[in-house]
Amino acid sequence: MTRFTNIQHSRRHVLQAVGAAAAAVALPRFAWAQGAYKAEYRMSTVVPPAFAWGKGGEIFGNLVRERTAGRINIKQYPGASLVQGDQTRELSAMRQGIIDVLCGAPINWAGTARELGVFTLPFMFPDHKAWDAVTGNAAFMAEYFDLVRKAGAEPLAVGETGFRQISNSKRPLIKPDDLKGLKVRVVGSPMYGEIMNSMGANPTFMSWADAQPALASGAVDSQENPLEVFLAARVHTLGQRYVTKWNYSNDILLFGIANPVWQSWTAADQRIVREAAQDAAKQQVELVRKLFAEDVQRVSALGVQVHQPTPAESNEWQIATRRAYARWKVQINPGMVAKAEEIIAKVKRA
Ligand code: X2X
């Protein structure tokens, strides 16, 4: 045996010994951790409870507090304030222990866990029926939830952030060419940037906190968000006069708990928290859908011109984004996107 392998050998021995010692102390510490609940569990939401999305977080926190008699106290931090407003850092902050509870859109975490973006491809879902078929497919969601666990969180339930619609200060957007030269604020998802680029727009990546002053000052001309966000944030007061309700992307709202926090709770509490998230998600989806049904009327009443594309126009938008779709399907998760496509095709045929 050479000297070199000898050293390797003894090093392995030392590592084994250290490992065994760690395991010996880990067991009682883990048992202790099960009883050690924190006084407060921090939940990040990008927007506050005046928005359906933030409301979902509020309902969840309240249900958990009531049903655990205050044992689990979830405090909501809206405005993504735990990450200084930079919503793209939510998932990495959760991994670092800064955030305990997620109630957010995976599109914001594209830089940390791109594979979670399977719901956000352009014009993937023709309607809510298709969206429901995918998010309600047990096998599909089991696979997705495994990805969430690998990303560091126990997934509990899925709400809906809402179909995203584009607005701008300059002109009605009827066909892809109309986007040429517009400065469009998008969230920190490179895919959204590419979608805008493919139609000749100039995308800029910005947090929601930065987007509002940028719209107000005219530094950007355009943004895209569900109309319930447009209404709650009063985006029409930021110079946005034209809306196209093109339904181009509809992310889930993921309710999840950081893995180590999840493991520190008793099985009984885990069950309570999971059910609370499912109940909150159900209420949140109902709220988003109710707001979706009335949004054209409410946005129009503010003096904003709302365009609802005809099927032929929708087809044009879809064609313009087809390459971006194909490229990002491969980069996000080709297998899962293909499964979603199959589920959607079946719904369309039915
Ligand atoms: O920043 C946005 O546009 C928002 C609120 O929709 C997201 O967090 C993705």
Side-chain angles (χ1 to χ4, degrees), residues 51 167-170 185 208-223 225 229-242 302 304:
F51 299 62
S167 74
N168 85 101
S169 58
K170 302 279 188 211
R185 174 270 169 177
W208 178 235
D210 290 341
Q212 296 167 84
L215 289 165
S217 71
V220 295
D221 308 311
S222 173
Q223 64 88 43
N225 248 303
V229 170
F230 185 98
L231 285 161
R234 300 175 53 77
V235 173
H236 68 290
T237 65
L238 309 175
Q240 297 290 287
R241 297 168 51 209
Y242 305 95
L302 300 170
V304 174

Side-chain angles (χ1 to χ4, degrees), residues 46-47 53 87 105 107-108 164 185 187 207-208 224-226:
V46 178
V47 289
W53 165 339
Q87 64 223 52
I107 193 71
N108 282 325
R164 302 179 75 86
R185 174 270 169 177
V187 294
S207 70
W208 178 235
E224 45 73 58
N225 248 303

Side-chain angles (χ1 to χ4, degrees), residues 237-317:
T237 65
L238 309 175
Q240 297 290 287
R241 297 168 51 209
Y242 305 95
V243 163
T244 298
K245 190 173 179 179
W246 62 356
N247 295 337
Y248 93 116
S249 187
N250 188 354
D251 205 1
I252 58 167
L253 182 67
L254 181 69
F255 293 74
I257 308 289
N259 280 337
V261 173
W262 181 250
Q263 280 147 22
S264 74
W265 291 340
T266 64
D269 278 341
Q270 287 177 346
R271 200 164 38 243
I272 293 174
V273 174
R274 190 183 298 281
E275 277 173 19
Q278 286 164 350
D279 292 347
K282 193 159 168 274
Q283 289 185 46
Q284 190 272 338
V285 172
E286 276 165 17
L287 181 57
V288 164
R289 302 269 169 105
K290 178 182 167 285
L291 294 168
F292 181 86
E294 58 195 38
D295 61 16
V296 172
Q297 191 208 335
R298 286 180 57 199
V299 172
S300 305
L302 300 170
V304 174
Q305 197 175 313
V306 181
H307 179 67
Q308 295 185 268
T310 63
E313 286 166 358
S314 291
N315 206 33
E316 292 282 307
W317 293 115

Side-chain angles (χ1 to χ4, degrees), residues 48-235:
F51 299 62
W53 165 339
K55 190 78 188 167
E58 184 186 66
I59 295 168
F60 176 42
N62 287 343
L63 288 177
V64 168
R65 200 171 305 106
E66 283 164 25
R67 295 178 186 177
T68 61
R71 268 194 311 285
I72 297 176
N73 173 33
I74 295 177
K75 181 161 180 217
Q76 184 170 10
Y77 289 83
S81 62
L82 294 168
V83 282
Q84 292 73 48
D86 182 359
Q87 64 223 52
T88 62
R89 284 172 41 217
E90 279 182 329
L91 194 65
S92 52
M94 183 206 71
R95 289 176 180 170
Q96 291 160 6
I98 296 162
I99 289 171
D100 302 307
V101 181
L102 294 173
C103 176
I107 193 71
N108 282 325
W109 316 326
T112 320
R114 179 185 289 171
E115 66 280 7
L116 299 184
V118 293
F119 305 95
T120 53
L121 288 160
F123 303 103
M124 176 181 193
F125 296 106
D127 49 31
H128 279 124
K129 213 169 122 201
W131 194 92
D132 285 342
V134 175
T135 58
N137 184 293
F140 184 86
M141 291 312 287
E143 197 176 336
Y144 186 77
F145 277 10
D146 276 343
L147 294 177
V148 175
R149 283 186 194 103
K150 283 197 193 107
E154 177 61 25
L156 304 177
V158 157
E160 177 186 343
T161 56
F163 276 109
R164 302 179 75 86
Q165 322 296 1
I166 190 160
S167 74
N168 85 101
S169 58
K170 302 279 188 211
R171 54 184 174 261
L173 304 178
I174 313 295
K175 54 186 190 309
D177 258 7
D178 297 334
L179 264 161
K180 279 225 160 71
L182 277 189
K183 277 177 279 171
V184 186
R185 174 270 169 177
V186 290
V187 294
S189 144
M191 182 189 71
Y192 280 175
E194 196 168 314
I195 292 169
M196 295 304 164
N197 264 325
S198 65
M199 291 183 282
N202 302 326
T204 73
F205 301 99
M206 249 178 233
S207 70
W208 178 235
D210 290 341
Q212 296 167 84
L215 289 165
S217 71
V220 295
D221 308 311
S222 173
Q223 64 88 43
E224 45 73 58
N225 248 303
L227 290 182
E228 76 96 356
V229 170
F230 185 98
L231 285 161
R234 300 175 53 77
V235 173

